[in-house]
């Protein structure tokens, strides 16, 4: 039988191969799942993994879904590096989308304003809305030592209720046949598409620039160094005079701001209005993205592509194989479980025990 034996030091090789191994094991588990559901495993995997990459339109949809996932994961990576466990990116994304949508509706009253100005203000409002929602968690943790995991998670459900109130009240479309939604934004106030015949918008370019900016911040700036030291060695950070309070506020506000920007891009991009559901769970899935990417900005980009593929594969499996919508969540859950299992091998090795 096998037993786990502690390593003398962490394995750098396993730290980078663990996500790849976890994805492969997830696909293997997915094949078994398809077989248990009475489907051909090879056909199921082809529909889930290959079909979303058949043509340019499908690839553009993959990149479109990658944008909010990576933006949320960038902020979460900053938090987790600082040892601040923000689980509420979903709620921060919702508040960002709600804030951005409110700004667009404020200007979309029949008078044509500069689209650049409106979209800029909407993006800033999204960042502010997400950061303010994350600031509640920071304030409760700072003042009352509340657990940020529970607070940020519970605030997500409050954000969802706030969104429901808005689309049933002040933002409700008076000509919308009583549906809980805002009016559709004018096309001038939507993010411009990068290619004709594709929904991929300018937010994708902003996301790539954000990855570069966060790489500089985390690995080339003193502020990023302070956050990392505070997360890895709190006692050493305290001895060096680094403020844990500043790290708490900075990491949560950055995380909330990125999630809020993701919400703004969703509202001003593929959705085009404020709906009762802005996100299919991007904020929660971004937690997996952050850890697949090893809390690295460009690593999260690869993780975002994997999770986006799972989202599109789940939609394909519903339409082509008649499987329930829960198939996407099952694959995400398997990936998280496999990743946690494979990460064990970073600090332990398997030994055969007679």
């Amino acid at each position: 039988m096998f037993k786990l034996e502690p390593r003398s030091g962490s394995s750098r090789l396993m730290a980078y191969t663990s996500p790849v191994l976890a994805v492969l094991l997830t696909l293997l588990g997915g094949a078994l799942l398809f077989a248990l559901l009475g489907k051909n495993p090879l056909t199921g995997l082809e529909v889930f993994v290959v079909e979303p990459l058949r043509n340019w339109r499908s690839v553009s949809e993959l990149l479109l879904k990658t944008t909010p996932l990576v933006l949320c994961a960038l902020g979460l990576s900053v938090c987790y590096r600082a040892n601040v466990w923000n689980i509420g990116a979903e709620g921060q994304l919702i508040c960002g989308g709600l804030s951005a949508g409110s700004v667009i509706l404020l200007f979309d009253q029949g008078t044509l304003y500069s689209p650049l100005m409106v979209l800029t203000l909407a993006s800033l409002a999204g960042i502010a809305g997400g950061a303010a929602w994350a600031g509640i968690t920071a304030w409760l943790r700072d003042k009352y030592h509340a657990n940020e995991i529970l607070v940020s998670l519970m605030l997500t459900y409050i954000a969802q209720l706030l969104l429901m109130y808005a689309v049933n009240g002040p933002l409700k479309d008076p000509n919308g046949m009583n549906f809980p939604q805002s009016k559709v934004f004018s096309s001038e106030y939507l993010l411009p598409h990068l290619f004709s015949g594709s929904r991929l918008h300018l937010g994708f370019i902003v996301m790539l620039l954000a990855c570069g900016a966060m790489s500089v911040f985390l690995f080339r700036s003193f502020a990023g160094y302070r956050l990392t030291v505070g997360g890895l060695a709190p006692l050493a950070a305290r001895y060096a005079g680094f403020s844990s309070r500043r790290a708490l506020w900075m990491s949560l506000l950055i995380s909330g701001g990125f999630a809020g920007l993701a919400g703004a891009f969703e509202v001003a991009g593929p959705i085009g209005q404020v709906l009762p559901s802005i996100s299919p769970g991007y904020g929660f899935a971004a937690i997996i993205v952050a850890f697949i990417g090893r809390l690295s900005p460009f690593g999260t980009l690869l993780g975002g592509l994997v999770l986006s593929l799972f989202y599109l594969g789940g939609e394909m499996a519903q339409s082509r194989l008649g499987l329930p919508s829960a198939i996407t969540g099952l694959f995400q859950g398997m990936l998280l479980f496999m990743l946690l299992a494979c990460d064990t091998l970073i600090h332990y090795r398997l030994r055969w025990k007679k």
Side-chain angles (χ1 to χ4, degrees):
M1 61 178 294
F2 288 99
K3 70 171 184 177
L4 287 174
E5 180 181 277
R7 297 180 184 269
S8 57
S10 299
S11 171
R12 182 178 292 271
L13 176 63
M14 277 306 305
Y16 290 102
T17 57
S18 172
V20 178
L21 183 60
V23 171
L24 294 177
L25 289 174
T26 300
L27 294 178
L28 183 62
L32 178 61
L33 177 63
F34 286 131
L36 292 175
L37 292 173
K39 308 295 181 182
N40 186 308
L42 294 180
T43 303
L45 286 180
E46 181 182 5
V47 170
F48 201 90
V49 179
V50 180
E51 284 295 327
L53 304 174
R54 284 288 188 191
N55 51 55
W56 164 242
R57 181 176 176 81
S58 299
V59 172
S60 67
E61 287 294 311
L62 178 76
L63 300 179
L64 178 68
K65 289 187 178 294
T66 301
T67 301
L69 284 169
V70 173
L71 285 174
C72 290
L74 283 175
L76 290 176
S77 297
V78 174
C79 275
Y80 299 157
R81 280 180 172 272
N83 204 23
V84 177
W85 297 99
N86 177 18
I87 310 296
E90 181 76 1
Q92 293 146 24
L93 183 152
I94 290 171
C95 286
L98 181 57
S99 302
S102 301
V103 168
I104 294 176
L105 290 171
L106 178 65
F107 286 95
D108 193 5
Q109 301 291 338
T111 303
L112 182 60
Y113 295 91
S114 167
L116 177 61
M117 179 196 74
V118 174
L119 288 173
T120 301
L121 291 176
S123 299
L124 293 175
I127 294 172
W133 205 247
I136 299 175
T137 301
W139 178 70
L140 291 174
R141 163 75 186 272
D142 183 25
K143 188 170 180 63
Y144 300 107
H145 304 287
N147 187 293
E148 73 271 17
I149 297 176
L150 295 177
V151 172
S152 60
L153 179 60
M154 292 300 104
L155 281 172
T156 297
Y157 303 108
I158 298 175
Q160 290 172 345
L161 293 174
L162 184 62
L163 176 62
M164 287 299 298
Y165 164 75
V167 296
N168 282 283
L171 300 186
K172 187 174 183 179
D173 183 6
N175 301 316
M177 301 179 66
N178 207 34
F179 284 101
Q181 61 188 30
S182 75
K183 74 171 187 177
V184 178
F185 304 150
S186 298
S187 58
E188 294 83 1
Y189 301 139
L190 297 178
L191 290 168
H193 294 173
L194 296 180
F195 307 99
S196 60
S198 165
R199 296 197 304 162
L200 186 64
H201 53 69
L202 188 62
F204 178 73
I205 302 298
V206 176
M207 179 269 290
L208 293 179
L209 294 175
C211 286
M214 291 308 295
S215 294
V216 174
F217 172 75
L218 288 174
F219 305 124
R220 293 291 184 270
S221 73
F222 185 62
Y225 172 75
R226 284 187 307 197
L227 287 176
T228 303
V229 171
L232 293 175
L235 294 178
R238 192 177 301 118
Y239 179 79
F242 298 164
S243 171
S244 59
R245 185 167 179 260
R246 178 187 295 177
L248 168 70
W249 279 94
M250 180 182 292
S251 60
L252 276 170
L253 291 180
I254 289 175
S255 181
F258 272 115
L261 183 61
F265 285 168
E266 285 298 288
V267 166
I271 298 177
Q273 62 184 136
V274 182
L275 295 175
S277 178
I278 292 176
S279 164
Y282 291 140
F284 293 122
I287 299 173
I288 307 175
V289 172
F291 283 104
I292 289 179
R294 309 285 84 174
L295 306 184
S296 165
F298 286 103
T300 60
L301 182 58
L302 298 177
L305 291 171
V306 172
L307 264 292
S308 299
L309 184 62
F310 282 8
Y311 272 110
L312 289 179
E315 294 172 4
M316 290 284 187
Q318 292 176 62
S319 60
R320 303 286 179 86
L321 303 176
L323 296 179
S325 59
I327 191 71
T328 302
L330 282 172
F331 267 83
Q332 290 178 357
M334 280 195 294
L335 178 58
L336 179 59
F337 177 80
M338 296 300 182
L339 183 64
L340 293 174
C342 293
D343 278 355
T344 304
L345 299 178
I346 298 175
H347 304 286
Y348 294 86
R349 58 167 56 91
L350 284 175
R351 291 291 191 186
W352 175 256
K353 181 180 179 181
K354 297 183 180 179

